[in-house]
Amino acid sequence: MKAKEIREMSDEQRESLLKETIEHLFKLRVQARMERLDSPSEVGKAKKIIAQIKTIQNEVEQ
């Protein structure tokens, strides 16, 4: 997901996406502990999306 797409979302949509991504990251981390991940790069992608959303939220608040 590109930053431009995140900026075009409403505040509620960004908050929803943030919650979904955090839950997804949690599930990936649990899966990594229990068994081998199919694609370990998914953890990094989820963390990147979370960082992008939080950065954009801070920009909007200012």
PDB file of all heavy atoms in Angstrom, residues 4-17:
ATOM      1  N   LYS A   4       0.289   7.521  -0.591  1.00  0.00           N
ATOM      2  CA  LYS A   4      -0.743   8.343  -1.205  1.00  0.00           C
ATOM      3  C   LYS A   4      -2.132   7.749  -0.952  1.00  0.00           C
ATOM      4  O   LYS A   4      -3.084   8.481  -0.662  1.00  0.00           O
ATOM      5  CB  LYS A   4      -0.478   8.461  -2.710  1.00  0.00           C
ATOM      6  CG  LYS A   4      -1.466   9.319  -3.444  1.00  0.00           C
ATOM      7  CD  LYS A   4      -1.134   9.429  -4.912  1.00  0.00           C
ATOM      8  CE  LYS A   4      -2.170  10.277  -5.632  1.00  0.00           C
ATOM      9  NZ  LYS A   4      -1.900  10.361  -7.058  1.00  0.00           N
ATOM     10  N   GLU A   5      -2.229   6.433  -1.055  1.00  0.00           N
ATOM     11  CA  GLU A   5      -3.508   5.766  -0.804  1.00  0.00           C
ATOM     12  C   GLU A   5      -3.947   5.939   0.645  1.00  0.00           C
ATOM     13  O   GLU A   5      -5.126   6.141   0.925  1.00  0.00           O
ATOM     14  CB  GLU A   5      -3.396   4.278  -1.138  1.00  0.00           C
ATOM     15  CG  GLU A   5      -3.137   3.988  -2.598  1.00  0.00           C
ATOM     16  CD  GLU A   5      -2.813   2.528  -2.847  1.00  0.00           C
ATOM     17  OE1 GLU A   5      -2.600   1.766  -1.880  1.00  0.00           O
ATOM     18  OE2 GLU A   5      -2.770   2.140  -4.028  1.00  0.00           O
ATOM     19  N   ILE A   6      -2.992   5.878   1.557  1.00  0.00           N
ATOM     20  CA  ILE A   6      -3.314   6.037   2.975  1.00  0.00           C
ATOM     21  C   ILE A   6      -3.749   7.468   3.262  1.00  0.00           C
ATOM     22  O   ILE A   6      -4.692   7.700   4.020  1.00  0.00           O
ATOM     23  CB  ILE A   6      -2.105   5.638   3.854  1.00  0.00           C
ATOM     24  CG1 ILE A   6      -1.784   4.153   3.654  1.00  0.00           C
ATOM     25  CG2 ILE A   6      -2.385   5.913   5.328  1.00  0.00           C
ATOM     26  CD1 ILE A   6      -0.503   3.709   4.309  1.00  0.00           C
ATOM     27  N   ARG A   7      -3.094   8.443   2.640  1.00  0.00           N
ATOM     28  CA  ARG A   7      -3.466   9.847   2.846  1.00  0.00           C
ATOM     29  C   ARG A   7      -4.878  10.152   2.342  1.00  0.00           C
ATOM     30  O   ARG A   7      -5.560  11.011   2.897  1.00  0.00           O
ATOM     31  CB  ARG A   7      -2.469  10.759   2.143  1.00  0.00           C
ATOM     32  CG  ARG A   7      -1.182  10.932   2.878  1.00  0.00           C
ATOM     33  CD  ARG A   7      -0.304  12.015   2.265  1.00  0.00           C
ATOM     34  NE  ARG A   7       0.907  12.183   3.053  1.00  0.00           N
ATOM     35  CZ  ARG A   7       2.028  11.527   2.826  1.00  0.00           C
ATOM     36  NH1 ARG A   7       2.116  10.664   1.832  1.00  0.00           N
ATOM     37  NH2 ARG A   7       3.081  11.723   3.597  1.00  0.00           N
ATOM     38  N   GLU A   8      -5.318   9.452   1.304  1.00  0.00           N
ATOM     39  CA  GLU A   8      -6.640   9.688   0.727  1.00  0.00           C
ATOM     40  C   GLU A   8      -7.760   9.076   1.568  1.00  0.00           C
ATOM     41  O   GLU A   8      -8.923   9.393   1.367  1.00  0.00           O
ATOM     42  CB  GLU A   8      -6.693   9.136  -0.696  1.00  0.00           C
ATOM     43  CG  GLU A   8      -5.815   9.905  -1.665  1.00  0.00           C
ATOM     44  CD  GLU A   8      -5.725   9.253  -3.035  1.00  0.00           C
ATOM     45  OE1 GLU A   8      -6.239   8.134  -3.219  1.00  0.00           O
ATOM     46  OE2 GLU A   8      -5.130   9.890  -3.928  1.00  0.00           O
ATOM     47  N   MET A   9      -7.407   8.220   2.519  1.00  0.00           N
ATOM     48  CA  MET A   9      -8.411   7.581   3.378  1.00  0.00           C
ATOM     49  C   MET A   9      -8.931   8.563   4.424  1.00  0.00           C
ATOM     50  O   MET A   9      -8.251   9.524   4.779  1.00  0.00           O
ATOM     51  CB  MET A   9      -7.805   6.383   4.106  1.00  0.00           C
ATOM     52  CG  MET A   9      -7.422   5.244   3.251  1.00  0.00           C
ATOM     53  SD  MET A   9      -6.713   3.953   4.288  1.00  0.00           S
ATOM     54  CE  MET A   9      -6.551   2.651   3.094  1.00  0.00           C
ATOM     55  N   SER A  10     -10.114   8.270   4.923  1.00  0.00           N
ATOM     56  CA  SER A  10     -10.648   9.067   6.025  1.00  0.00           C
ATOM     57  C   SER A  10      -9.967   8.626   7.321  1.00  0.00           C
ATOM     58  O   SER A  10      -9.282   7.596   7.369  1.00  0.00           O
ATOM     59  CB  SER A  10     -12.161   8.867   6.138  1.00  0.00           C
ATOM     60  OG  SER A  10     -12.445   7.542   6.553  1.00  0.00           O
ATOM     61  N   ASP A  11     -10.147   9.398   8.376  1.00  0.00           N
ATOM     62  CA  ASP A  11      -9.539   9.063   9.660  1.00  0.00           C
ATOM     63  C   ASP A  11     -10.019   7.700  10.160  1.00  0.00           C
ATOM     64  O   ASP A  11      -9.241   6.912  10.696  1.00  0.00           O
ATOM     65  CB  ASP A  11      -9.871  10.132  10.710  1.00  0.00           C
ATOM     66  CG  ASP A  11      -9.179  11.450  10.423  1.00  0.00           C
ATOM     67  OD1 ASP A  11      -8.153  11.443   9.707  1.00  0.00           O
ATOM     68  OD2 ASP A  11      -9.662  12.487  10.925  1.00  0.00           O
ATOM     69  N   GLU A  12     -11.303   7.419   9.975  1.00  0.00           N
ATOM     70  CA  GLU A  12     -11.871   6.155  10.435  1.00  0.00           C
ATOM     71  C   GLU A  12     -11.287   4.981   9.655  1.00  0.00           C
ATOM     72  O   GLU A  12     -10.995   3.925  10.224  1.00  0.00           O
ATOM     73  CB  GLU A  12     -13.398   6.153  10.292  1.00  0.00           C
ATOM     74  CG  GLU A  12     -14.102   7.135  11.201  1.00  0.00           C
ATOM     75  CD  GLU A  12     -14.133   8.556  10.630  1.00  0.00           C
ATOM     76  OE1 GLU A  12     -13.984   8.728   9.403  1.00  0.00           O
ATOM     77  OE2 GLU A  12     -14.272   9.496  11.426  1.00  0.00           O
ATOM     78  N   GLN A  13     -11.101   5.169   8.353  1.00  0.00           N
ATOM     79  CA  GLN A  13     -10.532   4.109   7.527  1.00  0.00           C
ATOM     80  C   GLN A  13      -9.087   3.837   7.925  1.00  0.00           C
ATOM     81  O   GLN A  13      -8.665   2.681   7.995  1.00  0.00           O
ATOM     82  CB  GLN A  13     -10.598   4.474   6.044  1.00  0.00           C
ATOM     83  CG  GLN A  13     -11.987   4.453   5.456  1.00  0.00           C
ATOM     84  CD  GLN A  13     -12.010   4.972   4.029  1.00  0.00           C
ATOM     85  OE1 GLN A  13     -11.299   5.913   3.694  1.00  0.00           O
ATOM     86  NE2 GLN A  13     -12.835   4.349   3.204  1.00  0.00           N
ATOM     87  N   ARG A  14      -8.318   4.899   8.177  1.00  0.00           N
ATOM     88  CA  ARG A  14      -6.924   4.721   8.609  1.00  0.00           C
ATOM     89  C   ARG A  14      -6.858   3.995   9.943  1.00  0.00           C
ATOM     90  O   ARG A  14      -6.031   3.112  10.138  1.00  0.00           O
ATOM     91  CB  ARG A  14      -6.216   6.073   8.709  1.00  0.00           C
ATOM     92  CG  ARG A  14      -5.652   6.563   7.415  1.00  0.00           C
ATOM     93  CD  ARG A  14      -4.688   7.717   7.620  1.00  0.00           C
ATOM     94  NE  ARG A  14      -5.304   8.887   8.211  1.00  0.00           N
ATOM     95  CZ  ARG A  14      -5.840   9.887   7.508  1.00  0.00           C
ATOM     96  NH1 ARG A  14      -5.816   9.869   6.202  1.00  0.00           N
ATOM     97  NH2 ARG A  14      -6.368  10.921   8.132  1.00  0.00           N
ATOM     98  N   GLU A  15      -7.726   4.377  10.869  1.00  0.00           N
ATOM     99  CA  GLU A  15      -7.746   3.739  12.187  1.00  0.00           C
ATOM    100  C   GLU A  15      -8.112   2.260  12.057  1.00  0.00           C
ATOM    101  O   GLU A  15      -7.502   1.403  12.704  1.00  0.00           O
ATOM    102  CB  GLU A  15      -8.748   4.458  13.101  1.00  0.00           C
ATOM    103  CG  GLU A  15      -8.663   4.039  14.541  1.00  0.00           C
ATOM    104  CD  GLU A  15      -7.353   4.400  15.204  1.00  0.00           C
ATOM    105  OE1 GLU A  15      -6.772   5.450  14.875  1.00  0.00           O
ATOM    106  OE2 GLU A  15      -6.881   3.616  16.048  1.00  0.00           O
ATOM    107  N   SER A  16      -9.069   1.965  11.212  1.00  0.00           N
ATOM    108  CA  SER A  16      -9.469   0.575  10.978  1.00  0.00           C
ATOM    109  C   SER A  16      -8.326  -0.227  10.355  1.00  0.00           C
ATOM    110  O   SER A  16      -8.047  -1.361  10.772  1.00  0.00           O
ATOM    111  CB  SER A  16     -10.696   0.541  10.068  1.00  0.00           C
ATOM    112  OG  SER A  16     -11.012  -0.772   9.717  1.00  0.00           O
ATOM    113  N   LEU A  17      -7.664   0.347   9.368  1.00  0.00           N
ATOM    114  CA  LEU A  17      -6.531  -0.323   8.723  1.00  0.00           C
ATOM    115  C   LEU A  17      -5.403  -0.559   9.720  1.00  0.00           C
ATOM    116  O   LEU A  17      -4.778  -1.629   9.729  1.00  0.00           O
ATOM    117  CB  LEU A  17      -6.023   0.498   7.534  1.00  0.00           C
ATOM    118  CG  LEU A  17      -4.826  -0.067   6.771  1.00  0.00           C
ATOM    119  CD1 LEU A  17      -5.169  -1.414   6.150  1.00  0.00           C
ATOM    120  CD2 LEU A  17      -4.368   0.912   5.699  1.00  0.00           C
TER     121      LEU A  17
END
